[in-house]
């Protein structure tokens, strides 16, 4: 029985900054950001959006009357959690009107959380073929104004329904995993900005990619020629290219060109959004599906997941009959094209307006946020999530 991704949706808010503007404001050569980092735009997250609302807005694209009653497992992968006890999945269950009999919980392991959830969901559906699972990777990447990591910020969410006989991609039965206790990136309790050893983290990423992809191919008696494309976790898009370059000397010149072409398709969306942490890998997959002209049903796609701290995993998927979805592609491009460009000063104001996790009660104006699901503030130490019935453009 095939089990895998049946539907996939993506959401990011209606604001962004241009990387040339940011480079000029930071007295940097724009090519350092455009080429050296591989980013052209960066999503800006207003205070009326958090990891829960981003997730709900993405998941709403994957829920319909046909699958709503089949979903009885909701897994929320995030490192931008809003509560040390209650999971974001419970809020999402309520906002989307999903069954009260569903299991709902949150997974945290840096940028790896959504992949852990995906693998759990796959095994669950194998045991319960008539059921489906909702898996979401949702995060806001924050390093701070005028920090080295500022250019690799961003935010958004990718949601996937996992089902038997999936429309998009059937997942391999097993995978190759590798983990070590490493301090390359972390965010202590109480901090809204991450701490990172950038060069060290890049080295570990490449090491874990080499370890897991070679182990996977060896144990499945496969070669690189069996993979039509490889999608990567993309904290910034040049990182995936660095990973890919690790294996290019092992393949023919023709295969090198093919893999590089597919990689370019896989980073089109991420170049305009930036870092999603847990969702970054699956935005890369979504971009490949929507923007590659060479993919065919039956092609095998390699998938590399990485979460600092550190956990790596490599698995594969087989493209199914309905992996292409022109309506989905149109929706995403409309969402990205309709965003409002902010000046760097405006972006800094929005960035610094993020409410503290320990803040007292407060109310946020949601008039300028046209998303279906928004965060309205805190009342009696309870976060207020609202579903807007007005027409929403994102």
């Amino acid at each position: 029985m095939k089990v895998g991704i049946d539907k996939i949706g993506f959401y990011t808010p209606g604001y962004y900054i241009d990387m040339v503007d940011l480079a000029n404001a930071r007295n940097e050569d724009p090519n350092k950001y455009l080429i050296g980092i591989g980013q052209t735009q960066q999503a800006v997250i207003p205070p009326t959006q958090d990891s829960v609302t981003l997730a709900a807005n993405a998941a709403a694209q994957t829920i319909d009357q046909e699958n709503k009653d089949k979903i009885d497992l909701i897994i929320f992968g995030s490192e931008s959690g809003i509560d040390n006890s209650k999971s974001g999945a419970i809020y999402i269950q309520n906002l989307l009107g999903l069954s009260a009999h569903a299991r709902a919980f949150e997974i945290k392991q840096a940028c790896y959380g959504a992949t852990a959830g995906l693998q759990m969901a796959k095994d669950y559906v194998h045991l319960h073929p008539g059921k489906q699972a909702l898996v979401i990777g949702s995060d806001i990447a924050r390093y701070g104004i005028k920090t080295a990591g500022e250019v690799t910020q961003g935010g958004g969410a990718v949601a996937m329904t996992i089902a038997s006989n999936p429309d998009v991609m059937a997942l391999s039965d097993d995978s190759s995993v590798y983990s070590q206790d490493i301090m390359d990136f972390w965010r202590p309790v109480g901090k809204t900005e991450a701490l990172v050893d950038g060069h060290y983290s890049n080295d570990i990423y490449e090491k874990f990619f080499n370890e897991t992809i070679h182990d996977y191919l060896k144990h499945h008696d496969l070669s690189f020629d069996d993979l039509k494309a490889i999608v990567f976790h993309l904290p910034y898009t040049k990182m995936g290219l660095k990973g890919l370059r690790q294996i290019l000397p092992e393949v023919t010149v023709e295969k090198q060109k093919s893999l590089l072409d597919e990689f370019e398709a896989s980073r089109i969306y991420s170049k305009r959004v930036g870092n999603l942490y847990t969702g970054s890998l699956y935005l890369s997959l979504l971009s490949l599906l929507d923007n590659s002209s060479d993919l065919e049903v039956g092609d095998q796609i390699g998938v590399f997941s990485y979460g600092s701290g550190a956990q790596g995993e490599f698995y594969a998927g087989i493209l199914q009959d309905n992996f292409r979805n022109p309506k989905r592609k149109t929706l995403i491009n409309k969402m990205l094209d309709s965003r409002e460009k902010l000046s760097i000063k405006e972006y800094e104001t929005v960035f610094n307006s993020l409410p503290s996790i320990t803040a007292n009660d407060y109310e946020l104006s949601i008039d300028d946020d046209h998303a279906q699901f928004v965060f309205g503030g805190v009342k009696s130490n309870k976060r207020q999530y609202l579903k807007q019935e007005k027409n929403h453009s994102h």
Side-chain angles (χ1 to χ4, degrees):
M1 180 181 67
K2 297 178 181 178
V3 173
I5 300 170
D6 190 58
K7 291 183 175 62
I8 182 168
F10 163 64
Y11 177 79
T12 193
Y15 304 97
Y16 76 96
I17 54 171
D18 187 277
M19 289 295 94
V20 173
D21 291 348
L22 183 63
N24 290 335
R26 302 297 180 249
N27 296 313
E28 297 281 3
D29 179 354
N31 285 332
K32 179 179 179 180
Y33 293 176
L34 299 175
I35 300 173
I37 299 296
Q39 298 296 138
T40 59
Q41 298 174 348
Q42 183 180 107
V44 178
I45 315 301
T48 50
Q49 293 290 318
D50 64 8
S51 59
V52 168
T53 59
L54 295 173
N57 285 309
Q61 301 169 28
T62 70
I63 307 299
D64 55 32
Q65 289 305 312
E66 183 180 346
N67 67 6
K68 191 171 185 178
D69 294 335
K70 296 178 181 178
I71 295 172
D72 64 354
L73 178 63
I74 306 160
I75 306 178
F76 180 55
S78 181
E79 56 184 281
S80 308
I82 46 80
D83 192 287
N84 284 327
S85 178
K86 184 176 180 179
S87 82
I90 294 291
Y91 291 107
I92 294 161
Q93 180 184 33
N94 175 57
L95 288 170
L96 298 177
L98 297 174
S99 172
H101 295 282
R103 289 188 178 95
F105 55 92
E106 185 171 326
I107 292 179
K108 178 182 70 181
Q109 176 43 52
C111 301
Y112 172 76
T115 297
L118 186 74
Q119 296 293 357
M120 284 185 181
K122 177 194 70 179
D123 292 343
Y124 180 81
V125 174
H126 268 296
L127 290 173
H128 307 86
K131 298 296 185 179
Q132 294 191 17
L134 174 63
V135 178
I136 312 167
S138 177
D139 273 305
I140 302 172
R142 291 173 60 92
Y143 296 95
I145 303 295
K146 299 180 181 179
T147 64
E150 182 180 26
V151 69
T152 64
Q153 297 178 147
V158 176
M160 300 168 282
T161 52
I162 311 305
S164 57
N165 302 312
D167 275 352
V168 176
M169 189 170 81
L171 302 176
S172 56
D173 288 337
D174 56 7
S175 60
S176 176
V177 297
Y178 189 75
S179 60
Q180 287 184 322
D181 183 0
I182 290 170
M183 296 298 288
D184 61 327
F185 170 106
W186 65 104
R187 181 165 68 86
V189 173
K191 284 188 173 291
T192 56
E193 284 79 47
L195 305 176
V196 62
D197 185 337
H199 292 295
Y200 182 46
S201 190
N202 291 346
D203 292 343
I204 297 300
Y205 177 107
E206 293 176 11
K207 173 185 175 181
F208 277 40
F209 172 61
N210 266 307
E211 180 71 30
T212 55
I213 189 172
H214 286 100
D215 184 70
Y216 184 86
L217 294 177
K218 176 183 177 181
H219 284 92
H220 291 81
D221 196 24
L222 298 172
S223 73
F224 290 112
D225 287 335
D226 294 306
L227 302 176
K228 176 64 177 178
I230 303 171
V231 292
F232 293 83
H233 164 55
L234 297 179
Y236 57 95
T237 71
K238 187 66 174 290
M239 187 69 253
L241 184 58
K242 290 179 180 179
L244 181 59
R245 286 172 175 168
Q246 295 289 302
I247 61 153
L248 291 182
E250 302 179 51
V251 303
T252 65
V253 173
E254 183 180 7
K255 185 63 176 178
Q256 289 180 18
K257 183 180 184 306
S258 174
L259 289 174
L260 286 167
D261 287 346
E262 300 303 332
F263 175 76
E264 288 303 321
S266 77
R267 67 167 169 170
I268 287 174
Y269 290 158
S270 295
K271 288 174 76 170
R272 300 186 63 185
V273 177
N275 197 349
L276 308 190
Y277 288 159
T278 43
S280 295
L281 167 60
Y282 297 100
L283 183 58
S284 175
L285 173 62
L286 185 52
S287 185
L288 177 72
L289 299 178
D290 284 354
N291 296 301
S292 171
S293 59
D294 294 328
L295 297 181
E296 297 178 356
V297 173
D299 280 343
Q300 186 166 204
I301 309 300
V303 182
F304 174 61
S305 181
Y306 176 77
S308 293
Q311 177 72 58
E313 180 164 358
F314 190 92
Y315 65 94
I318 304 295
L319 297 183
Q320 302 299 294
D321 290 344
N322 297 311
F323 76 88
R324 279 199 177 90
N325 187 328
K327 182 179 178 181
R328 178 187 66 208
K329 180 179 179 180
T330 298
L331 176 68
I332 291 174
N333 281 299
K334 181 180 178 182
M335 176 173 61
L336 294 176
D337 292 343
S338 64
R339 294 177 301 169
E340 178 184 346
K341 179 183 174 181
L342 300 182
S343 69
I344 299 306
K345 183 177 181 180
E346 289 171 329
Y347 139 72
E348 291 175 351
T349 299
V350 173
F351 186 94
N352 290 323
S353 69
L354 180 77
S356 168
I357 293 295
T358 58
N360 295 321
D361 289 1
Y362 55 90
E363 184 176 353
L364 294 171
S365 171
I366 61 173
D367 293 342
D368 294 330
D369 192 331
H370 304 295
Q372 184 176 8
F373 300 103
V374 295
F375 169 55
V378 176
K379 185 176 181 179
S380 300
N381 284 310
K382 300 173 185 176
R383 296 177 78 84
Q384 305 297 301
Y385 291 110
L386 307 171
K387 180 177 181 179
Q388 302 195 99
E389 299 301 333
K390 62 186 178 183
N391 291 331
H392 47 277
S393 59
H394 283 70

